[in-house]
Amino acid sequence: MACLTPTQITDNYLSASVGKATSPLWRLFVLGVAAGVLIGLGAVSSSTAAHALTDTGMTRLVSGAVFPIGLIMVILLGTELFTGNALMVTAAIARRITWGQLLRNWVVVYAGNFVGAVALAACMAFFGQLDIGGGDLAVYTAKVAANKVGLSWGNAFVLGIFCNIMVCVAVYLCNTGQDTAGRAVGAYLPIFGFVVAGFEHCVANMYYIPAGIFAAANPAYAAAIADAGINVALLNWGSFITANLVPVTLGNILGGVLVGVIMYAAHATRSKAD
């Protein structure tokens, strides 16, 4: 079956944004929690697959090959992901929704994503999943978290921009498909690319960094993490939020808005009044 055109997918997303903007708060939050869990499960799977590798390129390749299952599940199940919802700015520009409705969606979905991802991180860290490899997965998890928190503010911001450019392109490519396979492939390829490139995704980091914080706090893993030379001083909630979550979130917003505005300006159907 033929793909939908850029104009069709842009118009379809504008219409879908109205439903997202007017959805009840409880529904947005529940679907936000679900998306946080699903993105987190993609992160769990990719970390598990890559944790024993020593070559950086191969680690990123394997992680990139596995991580996209999270976004594929999010899209096909119709859950609410903050980074993808950055595209809703086009509906506000087109006056299909108000700016207040846009912010309402972003705040509620972001909170839901955070709750879902952090809850999953706690389950993985305290109920045995990080035992894999005799605790090597816990050490790897803490290392990934410390590396992310150790980024400079500017680096985290810019890597966040490019990450969400690719995520939002994935959302559009997914929506060109008219069957499950086409939608899955459309979502898969750009997400594979952003993970290999090492870009920063705020919702994924809501899993990765808390998982590292929890792993370092778990007595079962603490000694091995310290012996690995990981800077555990970085693994705290204040550093997570100020050094990573804030700049990455702002970068993700900017990247998503750029994609949305370009697609709207170039492809959206507009009346003469527009």
Side-chain angles (χ1 to χ4, degrees), residues 57-137:
M58 186 57 66
T59 299
R60 289 192 175 190
L61 187 65
V62 171
S63 296
V66 176
F67 181 84
I69 64 173
L71 185 68
I72 291 171
M73 292 189 291
V74 163
I75 291 175
L76 294 182
L77 293 178
T79 59
E80 292 284 335
L81 183 66
F82 171 77
T83 46
N85 285 4
L87 292 170
M88 289 175 61
V89 72
T90 58
I93 292 171
R95 299 188 296 278
R96 302 277 191 92
I97 65 174
T98 68
W99 291 99
Q101 288 174 317
L102 173 66
L103 292 175
R104 169 184 178 270
N105 177 279
W106 282 2
V107 169
V108 175
V109 169
Y110 191 89
N113 291 168
F114 187 90
V115 169
V118 172
L120 178 67
C123 290
M124 297 302 101
F126 294 115
F127 293 93
Q129 198 272 337
L130 299 186
D131 289 348
I132 292 173
D136 288 347
L137 179 54

Side-chain angles (χ1 to χ4, degrees), residues 126-154:
F126 294 115
F127 293 93
Q129 198 272 337
L130 299 186
D131 289 348
I132 292 173
D136 288 347
L137 179 54
V139 174
Y140 177 82
T141 299
K143 179 181 177 182
V144 169
N147 287 342
K148 287 179 174 292
V149 177
L151 291 170
S152 71
W153 204 96

Side-chain angles (χ1 to χ4, degrees), residues 91-214:
I93 292 171
R95 299 188 296 278
R96 302 277 191 92
I97 65 174
T98 68
W99 291 99
Q101 288 174 317
L102 173 66
L103 292 175
R104 169 184 178 270
N105 177 279
W106 282 2
V107 169
V108 175
V109 169
Y110 191 89
N113 291 168
F114 187 90
V115 169
V118 172
L120 178 67
C123 290
M124 297 302 101
F126 294 115
F127 293 93
Q129 198 272 337
L130 299 186
D131 289 348
I132 292 173
D136 288 347
L137 179 54
V139 174
Y140 177 82
T141 299
K143 179 181 177 182
V144 169
N147 287 342
K148 287 179 174 292
V149 177
L151 291 170
S152 71
W153 204 96
N155 285 1
F157 175 71
V158 172
L159 293 176
I161 294 172
F162 287 100
C163 171
N164 214 32
I165 287 174
M166 298 187 80
V167 169
C168 289
V169 167
V171 171
Y172 275 123
L173 291 184
C174 172
N175 286 317
T176 66
Q178 299 182 68
D179 57 29
T180 300
R183 287 169 63 80
V185 171
Y188 182 90
L189 295 173
I191 305 306
F192 172 84
F194 104 63
V195 176
V196 171
F199 297 149
E200 293 288 314
H201 186 268
C202 67
V203 180
N205 288 356
M206 291 173 187
Y207 168 79
Y208 281 123
I209 299 175
I213 293 171
F214 292 140

Side-chain angles (χ1 to χ4, degrees), residues 11 16 20 26-28 41 45 47 52 54 59 76 86 88 94 106 118 143 154 157 167 184 188 216 231 255 262 270:
D11 289 348
K20 288 175 173 286
W26 70 266
R27 183 174 184 273
L28 286 177
L41 288 173
S45 301
S47 291
T54 56
T59 299
L76 294 182
M88 289 175 61
W106 282 2
V118 172
K143 179 181 177 182
F157 175 71
V167 169
Y188 182 90
N231 185 0
I262 289 170
R270 287 185 285 275

